[in-house]
Amino acid sequence: ETGVTQTPRHLVMGMTNKKSLKCEQHLGHNAMYWYKQSAKKPLELMFVYNFKEQTENNSVPSRFSPECPNSSHLFLHLHTLQPEDSALYLCASSQGTGPDQPQHFGDGTRLSIL
Amino acid sequence: AQSVTQLGSHVSVSEGALVLLRCNYSSSVPPYLFWYAQYPNQGLQLLLKYTSAATLVKGINGFEAEFKKSETSFHLTKPSAHMSDAAEYFCAVGGSGSSASKIIFGSGTRLSIRP
């Protein structure tokens, strides 16, 4: 496989469920990102990891819990979500975290909260 | 602080016509600029990147963009639109200072192609 792979592609869950989103990159990159994309809103950066260490948390509610066990894998653990959390969640990776580093995106997980 | 503004949330062109998507940036330092496309049910795909090596940047799928410092613009063009170009397009600028690890995205322009 090549690029950035996200699973599952679609997820429907109730507000009391616990689920996890998975992201894997096959590009040899060192940095990984989670974004939230909602309809009619700009792309929102949630978390940044560089060499497995979290370097950014953009005031994301604690019901979203990221995990980065190594530079190739990134998870987003979800619990007690709200209806407004329904969105497309995108994972991205880049070689480094400098401003000249383009990010490579997965196809996202479409999350629907019942 | 870095920012980008995309002019026009929706652009519609006929197949074979010129595509022009507008982006203006604001940056306190020489900017790194990007254009991404998001095709239906997919993530963002990098089309091209400006890193000050040349003002005219050629990207994938026939797209190109010209960096104009005097106009603080980085507009995306394609000479002849194809139906497969229908997508959402995002202009982006690399962050600076404490935001250097971020790419700041514009709000997007949806491109529709008329047969």
Side-chain angles (χ1 to χ4, degrees):
Chain A
E1 292 192 51
T2 59
V4 180
T5 303
Q6 290 187 243
T7 55
R9 291 294 313 275
H10 301 272
L11 179 62
V12 180
M13 57 187 286
M15 289 191 286
T16 57
N17 292 156
K18 291 184 180 182
K19 296 286 185 183
S20 297
L21 310 185
K22 179 183 176 182
C23 176
E24 182 175 4
Q25 59 95 0
H26 305 271
L27 300 169
H29 289 167
N30 299 310
M32 297 188 77
Y33 309 78
W34 279 117
Y35 287 88
K36 178 182 179 182
Q37 188 177 35
S38 305
K40 303 187 187 302
K41 292 179 70 175
L43 206 59
E44 299 174 54
L45 177 65
M46 300 174 72
F47 302 101
V48 180
Y49 279 82
N50 194 28
F51 291 99
K52 304 189 303 178
E53 299 299 319
Q54 187 181 115
T55 58
E56 293 255 359
N57 176 341
N58 276 350
S59 303
V60 180
S62 60
R63 58 185 183 268
F64 295 91
S65 176
E67 178 189 2
C68 189
N70 55 59
S71 291
S72 298
H73 293 87
L74 185 63
F75 296 88
L76 189 63
H77 303 300
L78 316 171
H79 64 96
T80 324
L81 294 192
Q82 304 300 308
E84 62 265 28
D85 298 323
S86 296
L88 181 68
Y89 288 84
L90 292 166
C91 173
S93 70
S94 61
Q95 183 61 47
T97 55
D100 62 327
Q101 297 293 308
Q103 294 176 15
H104 299 259
F105 285 79
D107 286 338
T109 295
R110 175 74 60 187
L111 177 65
S112 298
I113 306 301
L114 299 179
Chain B
Q2 321 293 85
S3 67
V4 289
T5 301
Q6 292 185 242
L7 303 175
S9 60
H10 183 210
V11 170
S12 179
V13 303
S14 297
E15 192 173 18
L18 171 72
V19 174
L20 171 61
L21 303 181
R22 300 177 187 272
C23 173
N24 287 92
Y25 70 90
S26 173
S27 177
S28 55
V29 297
Y32 297 103
L33 295 162
F34 310 87
W35 273 102
Y36 287 84
Q38 186 174 26
Y39 301 96
N41 300 313
Q42 294 185 28
L44 278 67
Q45 179 181 28
L46 180 68
L47 296 179
L48 49 82
K49 164 185 166 183
Y50 168 75
T51 58
S52 78
T55 56
L56 183 62
V57 183
K58 294 189 182 298
I60 62 171
N61 302 338
F63 286 97
E64 61 182 38
E66 186 173 9
F67 175 74
K68 291 187 176 181
K69 184 177 178 181
S70 61
E71 299 177 7
T72 61
S73 68
F74 190 58
H75 301 332
L76 182 72
T77 61
K78 182 173 180 178
S80 177
H82 295 170
M83 296 300 292
S84 60
D85 294 326
E88 186 97 17
Y89 290 81
F90 295 91
C91 180
V93 62
S96 66
S98 61
S99 299
S101 64
K102 297 181 181 181
I103 289 182
I104 293 89
F105 289 88
S107 54
T109 297
R110 183 163 61 91
L111 176 65
S112 300
I113 313 296
R114 302 187 300 270

